[in-house]
Amino acid sequence: MVFMSSELNANMLDSSKVLDMRQAVFSRAPLSYRVGNSTLHVQTKFVTFVAVVGLISLLVLFIIMPTSRMSTSNLTNDLFGHGEEHGHGHHHQRNWFTYYNSTYPLTAPVYSDRGYIRYRIAMVTDLDTDSKHPTEKNTWISYLKKGHLTVNVDNQDVQIEWDKDLISLKSNMAYGGRGMELSELIVFNGRLYAVDDRTGIIYEIDLSSNKAIPWVVLTDGNGREMKGFKSEWATVKDETLIVGGLGKEWTTSTGELVNHNPQWVKTVNPRGYIEHHDWTRNYEKLREAVGIFFPGYMIHEACEWAEGRQRWVFLPRRASTSRYDEKDDEHRGTDLMLEATEGFEKIQVHHVGEKIDTHGFSSFKFIPGTNERIIVALKSEEVDGNVSSYIMAFNTEGKVLLKETKVGDYKFEGIEFV
């Protein structure tokens, strides 16, 4: 009897548990589990809340995650040239949540009923050692000159007029007692930037306040050098800023090889992430296309990526089949225009305008609205310590639309549509 009573009690207890569970399942009350003397309630709303918070947290982490984790760019060296890539990991472009401001130019153009388009333009100076402010301590300056460019796409007429005043841009940053030697202007991600070929600093140029605001610093060669990169040209490709050096081996004043640092190229994404690319072979291909081999050389200060035609366009400043010599170099100006496929597999050689030995290209831009067919370019002259700058326009077939016109006794090395 005792045995049967115990068995009966056990059965009744099991039946009670089953009944409790069935009631819990089919009722609207939350599930309850008895653990020892306590009860754990799994609240459906609470679980949902936790899940939503977790998803939001993951989303936020994904948005702020460094873009170096994203490896989906087509800007790797395999696609835009040979050479090794050095940097903090594989090349990236940006993640899906980074907004890129593609506004260009920054000021809306004005259209006339006669087919003319009027753009706002600007040039910037590289004053070299004269960039040191004459009176302000630890201050270096560059001049910005603004104007208007008017183009008629149909008859390819180009006209330029300049503002009277020069704008002074100042900085307190220098390397080796020199700074603000601005060698290029470029619109990138909706802002205007200038590159300093002495310090390696990329400045944002705020046209509303005329301030030069340091953004990032490019270091020389593979990025592990203590000196700044001698930035000479800049362009935009795949929403990435690309900055290049002279493209010539660094040599002594009489042509002896020192290093290949000026043959590296830097990429900077919209959030300031920098990578370093060895373009030595690409630069060698450019000069080999015109029959130049080391110790001969070619110096580059003007390059643009033509998105519509998927071509690199270079206007070399200097070129020589002979060994570099500091004095002779003043007379090595070119009339060359080189077009290279994305990977530098094929290179076309053109000639533009009159070849003046002391004049060499220092910057150019495709005029907006011309399908990358009309170019406005700056040429610089440096002879026996005297400097001057010239501007010209031509189409990609080499036809001159605006002859070289002097723009001042400063070395203007950057031009951009602002």
Side-chain angles (χ1 to χ4, degrees):
M1 289 292 292
V2 175
F3 174 78
M4 292 181 60
S5 176
S6 297
E7 185 177 17
L8 180 60
N9 288 337
N11 290 337
M12 290 177 64
L13 185 59
D14 289 342
S15 299
S16 176
K17 288 182 179 179
V18 172
L19 182 59
D20 286 345
M21 185 165 290
R22 290 179 62 189
Q23 288 177 343
V25 170
F26 291 104
S27 68
R28 295 182 181 179
L31 287 173
S32 300
Y33 296 98
R34 192 170 300 278
V35 181
N37 295 323
S38 63
T39 302
L40 177 64
H41 296 277
V42 182
Q43 300 283 356
T44 304
K45 290 183 179 179
F46 178 76
V47 171
T48 303
F49 173 77
V50 170
V52 170
V53 170
L55 286 172
I56 292 174
S57 299
L58 287 172
L59 187 61
V60 170
L61 282 173
F62 187 73
I63 292 174
I64 66 175
M65 180 175 60
T67 54
S68 59
R69 306 302 180 193
M70 309 299 290
S71 304
T72 57
S73 171
N74 61 350
L75 260 175
T76 62
N77 278 350
D78 290 340
L79 288 180
F80 72 89
H82 299 286
E84 297 178 4
E85 179 184 74
H86 294 257
H88 309 289
H90 296 294
H91 189 82
H92 61 279
Q93 185 175 346
R94 60 191 181 104
N95 67 40
W96 300 332
F97 299 93
T98 302
Y99 172 74
Y100 180 82
N101 185 347
S102 58
T103 301
Y104 185 78
L106 299 178
T107 303
V110 177
Y111 298 86
S112 78
D113 55 4
R114 295 184 296 120
Y116 284 87
I117 312 173
R118 183 177 169 90
Y119 294 102
R120 196 70 164 132
I121 59 172
M123 302 186 299
V124 73
T125 63
D126 177 355
L127 301 177
D128 293 325
T129 54
D130 290 336
S131 64
K132 185 77 168 67
H133 198 285
T135 57
E136 295 184 26
K137 188 178 180 180
N138 296 326
T139 302
W140 289 262
I141 60 173
S142 177
Y143 296 127
L144 189 77
K145 187 178 184 69
K146 298 170 75 174
H148 290 91
L149 181 147
T150 305
V151 60
N152 187 307
V153 181
D154 294 330
N155 62 23
Q156 299 196 337
D157 178 41
V158 178
Q159 302 170 21
I160 298 174
E161 55 189 89
W162 298 104
D163 297 0
K164 291 182 180 180
D165 299 329
L166 287 174
I167 298 169
S168 293
L169 303 173
K170 297 182 180 181
S171 175
N172 300 118
M173 295 187 169
Y175 176 82
R178 294 173 63 177
M180 282 299 277
E181 299 180 19
L182 305 184
S183 56
E184 185 62 291
L185 274 180
I186 185 78
V187 169
F188 172 62
N189 196 26
R191 300 184 181 189
L192 179 64
Y193 292 99
V195 300
D196 183 350
D197 70 18
R198 176 59 51 171
T199 64
I201 295 172
I202 299 180
Y203 289 94
E204 179 191 343
I205 307 300
D206 186 343
L207 294 176
S208 62
S209 62
N210 295 328
K211 289 182 178 179
I213 306 165
W215 180 41
V216 298
V217 180
L218 305 179
T219 45
D220 204 18
N222 65 3
R224 302 294 296 169
E225 301 288 341
M226 293 179 65
K227 70 181 291 291
F229 183 56
K230 189 169 173 55
S231 312
E232 293 291 350
W233 58 264
T235 188
V236 177
K237 181 180 185 294
D238 301 326
E239 300 179 3
T240 299
L241 178 63
I242 304 172
V243 182
L246 292 170
K248 165 193 169 294
E249 298 86 349
W250 192 256
T251 61
T252 64
S253 60
T254 53
E256 285 79 25
L257 176 65
V258 177
N259 59 53
H260 291 271
N261 289 352
Q263 294 179 303
W264 285 72
V265 163
K266 317 295 180 175
T267 53
V268 190
N269 80 351
R271 293 166 61 189
Y273 184 98
I274 302 166
E275 286 188 327
H276 313 272
H277 310 265
D278 186 354
W279 261 30
T280 300
R281 185 62 192 132
N282 297 339
Y283 283 123
E284 289 174 349
K285 287 181 179 180
L286 289 171
R287 67 191 186 200
E288 287 169 7
V290 294
I292 296 176
F293 301 86
F294 188 81
Y297 64 91
M298 184 177 284
I299 292 176
H300 297 280
E301 296 187 9
C303 168
E304 282 290 307
W305 169 252
E307 179 65 29
R309 292 182 289 134
Q310 294 288 292
R311 292 288 187 274
W312 301 98
V313 179
F314 290 84
L315 301 180
R317 181 171 181 184
R318 306 264 175 78
S320 174
T321 55
S322 304
R323 176 186 292 268
Y324 178 82
D325 178 85
E326 195 170 40
K327 190 63 182 174
D328 292 342
D329 186 59
E330 295 180 347
H331 298 269
R332 299 290 185 255
T334 85
D335 61 350
L336 293 171
M337 177 169 61
L338 308 176
E339 288 192 61
T341 54
E342 185 176 31
F344 290 78
E345 301 90 355
K346 296 180 180 179
I347 297 172
Q348 292 180 299
V349 180
H350 309 276
H351 294 270
V352 177
E354 180 184 0
K355 185 178 185 297
I356 303 175
D357 288 346
T358 58
H359 293 192
F361 292 104
S362 57
S363 182
F364 80 93
K365 292 293 184 295
F366 295 109
I367 299 178
T370 66
N371 293 319
E372 299 170 336
R373 295 296 177 186
I374 302 181
I375 288 171
V376 58
L378 291 178
K379 277 192 164 185
S380 299
E381 181 180 46
E382 297 177 86
V383 180
D384 298 327
N386 299 312
V387 300
S388 55
S389 296
Y390 302 81
I391 195 166
M392 66 182 300
F394 50 89
N395 63 25
T396 50
E397 284 71 49
K399 179 183 178 182
V400 175
L401 309 179
L402 176 68
K403 292 183 179 180
E404 284 191 39
T405 305
K406 189 173 181 178
V407 291
D409 291 322
Y410 293 110
K411 188 172 61 166
F412 287 99
E413 287 204 344
I415 189 169
E416 180 59 293
F417 290 85
V418 299

